[in-house]
Amino acid sequence: MILFLALVTSGAFGQHLQLVNKKNTVSQAAAPVWQWRISVDSIISGETQAAPQAFLWIPEHCKQLKAVVWGQHNMTEATVLEHPAFRKTLAELGIGEIWVTPAITQMFDFTKNAPADFERMMNRLAEVSGYTALKTIPVIPIGHSAQASFPWNFAAWNPARTLAVISLHGDAPLTKLTGSGAPNPDWGNRNIDGVPSLFIMGEYEWWEDRMLPAISYTQMHPHSVISLFADAGHGHFDASDALVDYISLFIRKAMKYRWRANGLHPVQREDGWLMGKWHKDSQPTAPAAPFNAYTGNRQSASWVFDSSMANATEHYYKTARGKRQQFIGFIRDGKIQVPGKSHAVYAVNVQLLPDGITFHISAFFADSTRTRQVTEHASTPLMINRICGPVKKINDTTFRLDFYRMGFNNTKRSNDIWLVAENRGDDVFKSAVQQLNIKIPLPQTTGEAQQIYFKSLPDQQKGVKELSLTAQTTSGLPVNYYVKEGPAFIKDNKLVFTGVPPRAKLPLKVTVVAWQYGITGKYQSALPVERSFFIVP
């Protein structure tokens, strides 16, 4: 993973900034639903020694599926895909989501097996879901960091099927500075002309050398339509509410200008607008303008769809421009943590409370060393939120282990928790972010062994509201659950059902997993137990 800069805001997009204090109050209420899951059996992942799992979400009331956003498991892809505001936008547009863990391809090398594996995945999802349009539907690939070249290569492989490209804190097309360190496949005569693309970099990861390949590409391919977006006041690891809102706006524009019922329409560069490339704390040298009227440096200018997109971008930049920078530190067990030199900066262990799954971590406004508290800082709250991993936020100092559909058996990711401390800034101070990485032992192997007893679950009629779950452990410790697949979520040891999309194929499989992590030194982790049943007509 590598670093960058990006910025945004306006209209409905800008309105979301007013709600940033409420982040996660909705998303923490219930785990996000993914109604279908298939195994991509043509691949054995080195992370799990098993086939990757592809999950499909379709908006609950979607009659006509028009496109899907496809992301794979690196870091912030799921943060975006499961964000309530993002899903609300997609539901309004008739767009679904696919998330794959572990990834079936890092670079999408179309000279090898990636296209065939993708087609198998889409055909199988079409078959199990009943949404047969998935076999040929337009795709918006999204990839973060080490996965950030995959969207460009997918678009080069099949531009006629690519609705838009989102490289999230990532890579320029055909860059030699890939986030993964692996080389891009040779594009030959391929290009992504007419495919609207969003290249995002964060302010606190900004490196001009990573931007230059994008500028070079647009100069060599004058029909490309690439937006160079700086996530001002943010870094490599976070996907803020504001950024999610900007990406949502970008997808709305892509649907307006590119999607047609009879096929995707090439977006013409001359029909868009140009605006100056972001420079930290500097006013633009020329105002944004229609393509042919722009008077600034055209070679380095960023293309955007229209005036409202230009205004949204400038508004986003304006929220960070000319303000004082802030720094954030962490406190664990009453002690200020010293930042390290790892990619995470903070890599810490936590002391779990007597329940075996709850822990505390807190953040404070710091000086540039991140080891001393300061009294001058933004008046808005300092929050800690989940980036990814098996964790649930209780409040800004309390977190709980919360395993989910990734399962226990990914030796790289199942024990890997990433949090981000963040502040949205105010009129004087710009927004600030600081990531933190926590590794937990998985499974717990010390103490008394325990097992879970979880009786089989009967099939349920479509329209059922909830189902009680009554698994028990031999240790007497409480059982936790997650939904691996199906239109349902867990609440108070009950399986609460959501609506079944109107074209869903029945019977529809639901899989619930019972887990018990154990207590350090007292009880070992129990082997998780799966129970599946079907929703029937």
Side-chain angles (χ1 to χ4, degrees):
M1 294 177 282
I2 302 181
L3 318 180
F4 306 83
L5 167 60
L7 312 122
V8 254
T9 309
S10 111
F13 165 72
Q15 294 170 13
H16 195 62
L17 292 179
Q18 306 302 319
L19 304 178
V20 73
N21 283 342
K22 300 181 180 180
K23 181 172 182 174
N24 285 342
T25 56
V26 177
S27 60
Q28 290 298 335
V33 168
W34 295 85
Q35 300 103 329
W36 292 275
R37 173 186 62 92
I38 61 106
S39 295
V40 187
D41 294 327
S42 57
I43 298 171
I44 297 298
S45 170
E47 295 183 13
T48 59
Q49 307 307 314
Q53 306 295 295
F55 296 87
L56 170 66
W57 170 78
I58 289 178
E60 187 174 325
H61 303 292
C62 179
K63 295 181 179 179
Q64 180 190 5
L65 191 65
K66 298 178 180 178
V68 290
V69 181
W70 174 30
Q72 303 185 92
H73 193 165
N74 182 52
M75 184 170 283
T76 62
E77 293 91 344
T79 309
V80 174
L81 294 176
E82 296 181 341
H83 195 289
F86 189 70
R87 284 197 164 184
K88 182 176 184 295
T89 295
L90 298 192
E92 293 171 1
L93 297 173
I95 300 175
E97 297 177 342
I98 296 169
W99 181 68
V100 183
T101 181
I104 63 172
T105 176
Q106 186 171 65
M107 301 296 289
F108 201 89
D109 187 344
F110 47 75
T111 68
K112 297 180 179 177
N113 296 329
D117 294 331
F118 166 76
E119 296 287 4
R120 291 189 194 98
M121 177 183 74
M122 298 300 286
N123 289 340
R124 181 67 181 134
L125 288 171
E127 178 184 341
V128 299
S129 68
Y131 280 78
T132 57
L134 286 165
K135 294 180 180 180
T136 57
I137 204 163
V139 175
I140 304 172
I142 182 173
H144 170 250
S145 192
Q147 288 281 340
S149 276
F150 130 72
W152 300 112
N153 295 327
F154 180 92
W157 166 65
N158 195 343
R161 191 171 181 180
T162 308
L163 174 60
V165 167
I166 301 171
S167 185
L168 179 58
H169 292 180
D171 297 342
L174 287 178
T175 182
K176 293 183 180 180
L177 294 171
T178 60
S180 66
N184 281 298
D186 183 0
W187 283 19
N189 293 324
R190 297 172 183 269
N191 61 65
I192 54 172
D193 291 354
V195 180
S197 305
L198 181 60
F199 174 31
I200 301 169
M201 294 201 304
E203 176 173 358
Y204 305 130
E205 61 176 348
W206 188 267
W207 183 18
E208 197 69 21
D209 285 354
R210 296 188 62 83
M211 175 66 72
L212 293 178
I215 296 172
S216 297
Y217 183 87
T218 58
Q219 291 173 1
M220 294 176 62
H221 299 273
H223 298 294
S224 60
V225 283
I226 301 177
S227 297
L228 308 174
F229 177 69
D231 190 10
H234 295 276
H236 181 68
F237 297 89
D238 64 312
S240 67
D241 291 349
L243 179 58
V244 169
D245 229 14
Y246 187 86
I247 296 171
S248 299
L249 178 62
F250 178 83
I251 291 176
R252 286 186 183 277
K253 297 293 186 179
M255 286 294 291
K256 176 181 178 180
Y257 291 103
R258 180 154 169 77
W259 190 90
R260 302 289 186 272
N262 61 348
L264 297 180
H265 175 74
V267 175
Q268 301 300 321
R269 187 169 172 82
E270 311 81 56
D271 294 336
W273 278 49
L274 292 180
M275 61 184 304
K277 184 168 71 73
W278 175 84
H279 291 285
K280 183 177 181 178
D281 295 334
S282 297
Q283 295 287 343
T285 57
F291 182 83
N292 290 322
Y294 182 67
T295 59
N297 185 337
R298 300 179 67 87
Q299 288 190 331
S300 64
S302 173
W303 180 92
V304 291
F305 284 101
D306 53 25
S307 60
S308 64
M309 198 75 191
N311 291 337
T313 306
E314 171 55 24
H315 181 66
Y316 198 98
Y317 293 171
K318 188 177 179 180
T319 61
R321 184 181 293 135
K323 295 181 180 180
R324 293 175 61 182
Q325 187 172 351
Q326 302 184 96
F327 301 92
I328 298 172
F330 289 100
I331 297 175
R332 185 206 63 176
D333 300 329
K335 296 180 180 179
I336 291 177
Q337 300 298 290
V338 177
K341 296 181 180 180
S342 69
H343 194 43
V345 179
Y346 286 93
V348 304
N349 297 316
V350 292
Q351 182 69 43
L352 296 173
L353 299 183
D355 67 357
I357 58 173
T358 303
F359 64 90
H360 293 300
I361 195 92
S362 60
F364 65 93
F365 290 104
D367 65 5
S368 60
T369 70
R370 296 179 173 86
T371 60
R372 291 191 291 267
Q373 296 186 0
V374 296
T375 57
E376 292 187 1
H377 53 75
S379 58
T380 51
L382 181 55
M383 302 175 290
I384 304 180
N385 289 303
R386 174 184 180 269
I387 301 174
C388 62
V391 66
K392 179 179 181 178
K393 175 178 176 175
I394 306 303
N395 57 48
D396 286 307
T397 63
T398 307
F399 299 84
R400 186 171 296 156
L401 301 188
D402 190 38
F403 294 94
Y404 62 108
R405 58 189 53 80
M406 176 178 57
F408 272 49
N409 68 329
N410 188 316
T411 56
K412 180 179 179 180
R413 305 180 192 275
S414 292
N415 67 336
D416 195 35
I417 293 170
W418 288 81
L419 301 174
V420 60
E422 53 190 332
N423 171 261
R424 69 182 176 93
D426 58 16
D427 291 341
V428 176
F429 293 90
K430 69 170 58 181
S431 57
V433 293
Q434 179 59 63
Q435 71 279 356
L436 175 142
N437 183 220
I438 299 167
K439 300 281 190 184
I440 59 171
L442 184 69
Q444 302 245 49
T445 57
T446 60
E448 182 181 337
Q450 60 172 330
Q451 292 82 41
I452 294 173
Y453 290 97
F454 189 11
K455 66 181 181 180
S456 60
L457 300 172
D459 290 346
Q460 301 291 309
Q461 293 289 132
K462 180 181 177 182
V464 65
K465 300 300 182 183
E466 61 183 38
L467 178 65
S468 295
L469 302 173
T470 57
Q472 297 178 323
T473 60
T474 54
S475 64
L477 293 174
V479 176
N480 295 286
Y481 307 90
Y482 66 84
V483 177
K484 190 172 185 178
E485 62 190 323
F489 60 89
I490 303 295
K491 183 178 181 181
D492 299 329
N493 290 337
K494 290 182 179 180
L495 191 62
V496 180
F497 294 90
T498 62
V500 175
R503 293 192 175 182
K505 180 180 178 181
L506 297 180
L508 199 167
K509 188 177 183 180
V510 180
T511 300
V512 183
V513 179
W515 61 273
Q516 218 301 321
Y517 178 66
I519 297 179
T520 304
K522 294 183 178 181
Y523 290 99
Q524 300 176 24
S525 298
L527 186 68
V529 177
E530 289 189 8
R531 291 291 180 256
S532 296
F533 63 92
F534 290 91
I535 295 175
V536 297

